Amino acid sequence: MPPMRSKSAVGLSRYSCHRYEIIMGTNKSPDKSDKVYRSTVHASTMLQNLNVLRQNSKFCDVEIVAGETVIKAHRSVLSASSPYFKAMFSTGLVEAERDRIEIHYVDPKVLTAIIDFIYSGEMALCQENVQDMIVAGDMLELKEVVHGCTEFLKNELHITNAVGIYRFAEDHNCIDLAKTASTFIENHYPLVAFEEEFCELPKELLCKFLDSELLKVDSEYQVFQSVMRWINYDVPSRKCYVFELLSHIRLPLISVSLLDQSITEASDASLKVALRSVRKDLVSKKGNLVPLLAYPRLCAKKTIFVIGGSKREMVSTWTRSLECTYDTVERFDCYTSKWYTGVNPMEIGRILPGVAALNGKIYVVGGEHECQILADGEAYDPLTNTWTKVASMVVPRCEFGLCAVEGDLFALGGWVGDDIGGSIERYDTVQDKWHLEGSLPEPRFSMGVVSYEGLIYIVGGCTHSRRHVQDLLRLDPATGECVSLAPMLEPRSQIGVAVLDGYLYVVGGINKDHDVLRSVERYSFEQNKWSQVGLLKVGRASPAVAAAGGYLYVLGGDQTHEVNFYRAQVTIASVERYDPAMNAWEDSAPLPESRSEAAAIVL
């Protein structure tokens, strides 16, 4: 440091100290402007000291009263924090002259918490006080209180309370909270519509949601069901709205068989008559009661992506060629029933990969490529038509289960090279990292895995002790608890699975006799019971299965080809669609190329 030269302090009091001339280094900037120092703790320290003064009744010049509660405070501090108090104390109002001011319509505990927040910047929020806090904060024009309460309610959004939070936000003009709650309802509409809060919606708000293009539904029938549930909640007073409400439903997208089912289930005679009138108008194509032309909602799940897989076709009796592993993706529009090109391929072909949809993207991980079991993954963004790399799993695996639960991906079991795997991994999308999260009760591969209402269901497959199993397991990823449920009617592996309208469907596969199956069975989540449904037109092993538009689609798969004692599995291109109301399968537009061991996902 440069030397300091002493200067005399002539004329200074005895409290003065010697001043020194500081010679700045010659290598410093010639800028002689003052430098500003800012303390990072001064403001908070001063606020803490002011709070201590208040708690000790020092220099307090006003008392704020709510009920029997009296809170001493400083006018200047209250005015600096709240435009409400500033106006009260500085614009000539009668309160400016009073030492005691009563605040009406605010609970004493809430007012105490708010004054504490003014002096500390902290407040304790819970379900019991947050609504009163946000109302009082708005009245007292404390933006930070309103913001804190709003963020708390956003984080508390759930299918059981989303409607209530939305109505509260609307009533109190909390625009940001109302928008967030509305988006939550649209994103989880089928589940929210089953809650009692939904049935208590005013008709006007119900119509607002029915008009939304952003309802994320599997089919328009789910929207129709929500309307019928709302009417049946109070039939005497609501049945008069049936035609008005159904005008907001895109009825041409709903099968007549499902309307017939609703007519049969209707308990009120006048409601039956109304629904029959709508059905007749729809079938006759008159368009007097319902529009004849309708398009799926913008966010309705209507596109099936078929990803990866393999192709094996017979050229002649003794020659099998045309074998390949697909890196391509086929896209099927359920509304037009047409296949479209244009989806960019993956970076690498994959047989039996794990595929799941999360946050509007399609994640594809693992699988097999040229006899190598893969651990890496990639994610497809349909908005940009691009693939990006994601972190590799801890364990390479194929023929495993992948599903999305509560914002995370879970990978379960599978074939891990030279053995059957039983480990479970969880993928954190924020950290882009996989973590081992326990294991299955028994290693398993070639099974079906789905998620439903926050739980994971594992059905069928192969284990060390059994080549084809029929059991069904339910895994709670939050606790790691795994319980056995009612077993399938027939043991099978290499199956296709999907969830539709509260049922888990298991399609095709191979049994213990190595027969390729036409049989299909479904499991009721509510009743814990299996039942047979209509047979496939052709048997399929390792098919891709997806639920969309109220139907179940089975796409491609393997069939056994046997000529002159030569038996081989060959891929097929045919697609079938199952109508639950008719309990029957019908042909749909076939795949552009035969494909098996692929995955199907709906967006």
Side-chain angles (χ1 to χ4, degrees), residues 421-422 439-444 463-466 469 471 473:
S439 59
L440 296 169
E442 184 179 10
R444 177 183 307 229
T463 66
H464 284 124
S465 59
R466 293 169 293 170
V469 300
D471 55 353
L473 305 177

Side-chain angles (χ1 to χ4, degrees), residues 168-400:
F168 172 81
E170 283 278 297
D171 291 343
H172 295 88
N173 198 34
C174 299
I175 298 174
D176 185 39
L177 178 60
K179 182 179 180 181
T180 302
S182 177
T183 300
F184 184 94
I185 293 170
E186 290 168 337
N187 289 343
H188 303 84
Y189 188 83
L191 296 176
V192 171
F194 272 97
E195 298 299 320
E196 186 172 357
E197 278 190 345
F198 179 86
C199 295
E200 295 172 349
L201 270 173
K203 175 176 68 70
E204 293 73 22
L205 285 182
L206 174 61
C207 291
K208 178 181 177 180
F209 284 111
L210 295 179
D211 286 336
S212 174
E213 286 284 344
L214 304 180
L215 296 185
K216 289 190 176 180
V217 292
D218 296 323
S219 69
E220 190 66 15
Y221 182 60
Q222 291 179 323
V223 186
F224 173 80
Q225 284 181 308
S226 73
V227 168
M228 297 308 299
R229 193 175 296 112
W230 186 88
I231 293 174
N232 287 323
Y233 189 75
D234 187 3
V235 175
S237 64
R238 294 181 175 181
K239 62 185 178 182
C240 59
Y241 301 128
V242 61
F243 290 111
E244 178 185 354
L245 293 174
L246 291 183
S247 69
H248 298 272
I249 307 296
R250 305 174 190 201
L251 289 169
L253 303 180
I254 301 174
S255 69
V256 174
S257 58
L258 290 175
L259 288 178
D260 290 337
Q261 180 179 318
S262 298
I263 293 171
T264 302
E265 294 173 352
S267 57
D268 182 81
S270 59
L271 192 57
K272 282 181 180 286
V273 172
L275 291 174
R276 287 196 183 103
S277 301
V278 170
R279 181 192 184 282
K280 183 177 180 181
D281 186 72
L282 194 62
V283 172
S284 63
K285 301 187 182 300
K286 292 183 178 180
N288 296 327
L289 299 176
V290 296
L292 297 180
L293 186 62
Y295 296 94
R297 296 171 192 270
L298 185 64
C299 288
K301 293 181 178 180
K302 55 184 177 292
T303 304
I304 300 176
F305 294 85
V306 180
I307 302 168
S310 60
K311 177 180 182 178
R312 297 183 300 277
E313 293 183 347
M314 297 291 295
V315 174
S316 67
T317 303
W318 303 106
T319 305
R320 188 178 78 177
S321 60
L322 298 178
E323 295 189 8
C324 71
T325 299
Y326 285 113
D327 60 4
T328 56
V329 179
E330 303 290 356
R331 180 168 64 92
F332 181 73
D333 189 314
C334 298
Y335 176 66
T336 62
S337 294
K338 293 182 179 179
W339 292 94
Y340 294 91
T341 59
V343 179
N344 284 331
M346 297 181 289
E347 289 190 3
I348 187 174
R350 299 172 187 268
I351 297 174
L352 297 166
V355 176
L358 182 62
N359 300 328
K361 295 182 179 181
I362 299 174
Y363 288 82
V364 183
V365 296
E368 180 186 342
H369 180 78
E370 296 180 354
C371 299
Q372 179 182 357
I373 307 300
L374 306 175
D376 66 341
E378 42 194 315
Y380 175 72
D381 187 341
L383 298 179
T384 59
N385 192 26
T386 56
W387 291 89
T388 55
K389 295 288 290 183
V390 299
S392 296
M393 292 183 291
V394 178
V395 179
R397 58 185 87 209
C398 70
E399 287 196 78
F400 67 105

Side-chain angles (χ1 to χ4, degrees), residues 117-172:
F117 175 81
I118 289 176
Y119 278 86
S120 67
E122 298 178 354
M123 56 183 172
L125 296 174
C126 61
Q127 294 183 6
E128 287 71 28
N129 72 356
V130 66
Q131 294 187 43
D132 292 333
M133 289 286 288
I134 199 171
V135 171
D138 183 57
M139 185 188 83
L140 299 176
E141 299 181 70
L142 287 162
K143 292 183 180 179
E144 285 299 316
V145 171
V146 174
H147 175 74
C149 294
T150 298
E151 292 302 307
F152 176 86
L153 288 172
K154 286 181 182 179
N155 291 330
E156 291 296 311
L157 278 169
H158 189 265
I159 59 172
T160 58
N161 62 23
V163 171
I165 291 177
Y166 172 76
R167 295 181 66 183
F168 172 81
E170 283 278 297
D171 291 343
H172 295 88

